[in-house]
């Protein structure tokens, strides 16, 4: 499953696996794909260094990448977290408090800090992450929210690192190309997390045509080898998979209840909501998202206010596994994620499905 991009990166299979878990990213790389570690949760650069040290020791010298979040619009640039939190209306705070009380969500222990903070969406946090990352042989730097600043792109190129950026439309993709991005990830509506409103099957060929000859990766709702084959047929040079790895045995969701909800969910059990971060993000539909998106809610705040507002609430819901409210970003491919398997087993299914798709096409074309 080689393409020009996979050969450039020294990867056997053009399968790019995005994940917040180092063990999953390393396993994807060892299986012959390209593991991409999501850095948004590393507000402490020391923790990122620790996990990159671990990646170095568990990737057998094979390549891997890092995904950061640097918002294209700097609405709160230069403002402290405390000042940003002061912008949150009291009515929104009351709504969070009342919703948690209605579902009897316990408080965190005295002195226990929220385990989930949205500060990772702030540009300076990402820059601190890069100060660590460029000391490691990272081969690809991806940004989830637009093109990184020009100086970041230049710095990556100085280190011999390719830069990728996610795009939800051909217009976004052209901007990435103009900004000097090396790889465009065409992420369709079906994807988990922040996503636009154009479906993958429509989006991928549009972006391939818009940025040619730049390489494009297909993303959004992809979880089978047949879909990877379709992505390459549409002109992509690989597939970017994220949600599929959440139910692997190497993933560490810290919640058996959440894993069980993912395994039981169908492809129609997600919703594109601003309840988590302030930007539209596909996630499991829960009574929490219903409350925010319903007519009686105050409406989500813009990023990063919404993330700061709900950070402690999300931590409480997750820690105490309050099932009606418990969710996570995940794509529509969740309907196929109905068993716990190792990364290697998932990878083997992907490559097997890819081969079967090629055989099917060859038979249709009379070449087999």
């Amino acid at each position: 499953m080689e393409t020009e991009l996979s050969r450039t990166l020294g990867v056997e299979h053009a399968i790019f696996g995005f994940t917040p878990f180092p063990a999953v990213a390393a396993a994807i790389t060892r299986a012959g794909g390209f593991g991409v570690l999501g850095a948004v949760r590393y507000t402490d650069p020391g923790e990122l260094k620790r996990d990159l040290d671990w990646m170095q020791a568990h990737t057998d010298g094979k390549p891997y990448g890092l995904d950061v979040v640097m918002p294209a619009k700097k609405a709160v640039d230069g403002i402290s977290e405390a000042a940003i939190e002061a912008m949150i209306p009291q009515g929104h705070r009351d709504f969070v408090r009342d919703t948690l009380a209605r579902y009897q969500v316990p408080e965190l222990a005295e002195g226990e800090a929220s385990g989930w903070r949205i500060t990772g969406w702030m540009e300076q946090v990402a820059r601190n992450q890069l100060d660590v990352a460029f000391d490691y042989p990272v081969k690809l730097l991806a940004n989830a929210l637009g093109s990184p600043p020009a100086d970041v792109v230049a710095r990556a190129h100085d280190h011999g690192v390719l830069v990728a950026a996610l795009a939800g439309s051909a217009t976004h993709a052209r901007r990435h190309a103009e900004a000097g991005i090396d790889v465009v990830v065409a992420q369709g509506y079906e994807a988990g997390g922040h996503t636009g409103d154009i479906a993958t099957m429509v989006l991928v060929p549009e972006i391939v045509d818009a940025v040619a000859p730049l390489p494009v990766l297909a993303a959004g709702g992809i979880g089978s080898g047949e879909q990877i084959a379709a992505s390459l047929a549409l002109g992509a040079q690989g597939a970017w998979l994220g949600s599929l790895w959440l139910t692997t045995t190497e993933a560490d969701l810290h919640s058996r209840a959440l894993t069980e909800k993912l395994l039981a969910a169908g492809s129609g059990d997600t919703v594109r909501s601003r309840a988590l971060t302030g930007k539209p993000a596909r996630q499991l539909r829960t009574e929490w998202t219903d409350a925010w998106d319903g007519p009686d809610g105050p409406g989500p705040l813009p990023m990063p206010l919404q993330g700061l507002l709900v950070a402690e609430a999300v931590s409480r819901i997750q820690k105490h596994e309050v099932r009606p409210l418990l969710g996570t970003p995940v794509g529509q491919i969740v309907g196929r994620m109905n068993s716990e398997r190792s990364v290697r087993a998932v990878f083997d299914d992907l490559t097997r499905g890819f081969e079967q798709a090629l055989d099917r096409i060859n038979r249709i074309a009379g070449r087999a």
Side-chain angles (χ1 to χ4, degrees), residues 11-367:
V11 180
E12 182 180 359
H13 299 296
I15 297 174
F16 294 73
F18 164 78
T19 173
F21 307 117
V24 176
I28 292 168
T29 285
R30 290 197 306 272
F34 190 91
V36 181
L37 178 64
V40 69
R41 66 189 179 93
Y42 293 101
T43 55
D44 179 356
E47 293 181 358
L48 178 59
K49 182 180 187 306
R50 176 201 65 201
D51 283 357
L52 288 177
D53 284 339
W54 188 92
M55 290 276 292
Q56 276 294 105
H58 292 83
T59 46
D60 299 338
K62 295 180 179 180
Y64 60 89
L66 190 74
D67 180 278
V68 298
V69 176
M70 304 184 88
K73 295 182 180 179
K74 305 177 186 179
V76 294
D77 192 28
I79 304 176
S80 69
E81 182 178 336
I84 296 170
E85 290 211 53
M87 301 177 188
I88 297 172
Q90 186 59 43
H92 282 72
R93 296 184 187 277
D94 293 343
F95 178 77
V96 171
R97 181 200 63 213
D98 294 345
T99 302
L100 295 178
R102 185 162 65 252
Y103 288 90
Q104 300 181 328
V105 181
E107 299 276 354
L108 296 175
E110 185 176 351
E112 182 179 3
S114 168
W116 185 86
R117 296 297 286 170
I118 204 65
T119 48
W121 302 107
M122 301 171 74
E123 181 178 319
Q124 187 54 51
V125 174
R127 287 184 177 275
N128 293 340
Q129 293 165 350
L130 295 181
D131 288 341
V132 173
F134 285 135
D135 287 336
Y136 293 82
V138 171
K139 298 297 183 185
L140 179 75
L141 173 67
N143 188 43
L145 292 178
S147 304
D151 68 297
V152 172
V153 176
R155 186 180 178 193
H157 289 165
D158 287 344
H159 283 82
V161 177
L162 297 182
V163 181
L166 276 65
S169 72
T171 299
H172 294 160
R174 291 188 189 96
R175 291 175 187 159
H176 294 339
E178 292 167 359
I181 299 303
D182 305 292
V183 181
V184 176
V185 181
Q187 180 174 272
Y189 171 84
E190 303 93 326
H194 295 116
T195 185
D197 53 12
I198 302 175
T200 304
M201 182 65 75
V202 174
L203 182 66
V204 172
E206 284 187 357
I207 288 183
V208 168
D209 289 344
V211 301
L214 284 185
V216 172
L217 298 175
I222 300 174
S224 72
E226 291 85 351
Q227 289 173 302
I228 296 174
S231 300
L232 299 189
L234 292 173
Q237 290 201 26
W240 178 277
L241 286 66
S243 298
L244 188 66
W245 316 106
L246 289 174
T247 53
T248 57
T249 54
E250 291 90 344
D252 188 11
L253 289 176
H254 299 294
S255 171
R256 184 62 202 171
L258 180 54
T259 298
E260 290 173 354
K261 288 190 75 170
L262 288 170
L263 294 172
S267 57
D269 293 329
T270 69
V271 63
R272 192 165 161 263
S273 170
R274 294 170 52 216
L276 185 61
T277 69
K279 284 185 177 290
R282 186 170 296 285
Q283 54 203 280
L284 277 182
R285 182 175 181 177
T286 66
E287 293 183 33
W288 175 258
T289 60
D290 285 349
W292 277 103
D293 298 335
D296 297 329
L301 297 169
M303 178 186 278
L305 299 180
Q306 181 70 14
L308 290 170
L309 169 65
V310 305
E312 181 180 328
V314 171
S315 290
R316 288 167 61 184
I317 292 165
Q318 291 177 343
K319 177 179 180 179
H320 299 290
E321 297 190 322
V322 183
R323 280 182 176 264
L325 306 181
L326 188 63
T328 186
V330 69
Q332 291 180 329
I333 197 62
V334 71
R336 293 182 63 100
M337 296 158 49
N338 49 25
S339 65
E340 292 181 83
R341 299 177 295 162
S342 68
V343 168
R344 169 59 74 174
V346 172
F347 215 91
D348 288 345
D349 278 353
L350 292 174
T351 54
R352 186 181 307 113
F354 180 82
E355 292 169 355
Q356 291 172 346
L358 292 188
D359 288 344
R360 188 178 305 119
I361 294 300
N362 282 331
R363 288 196 301 271
I364 292 171
R367 291 193 293 265

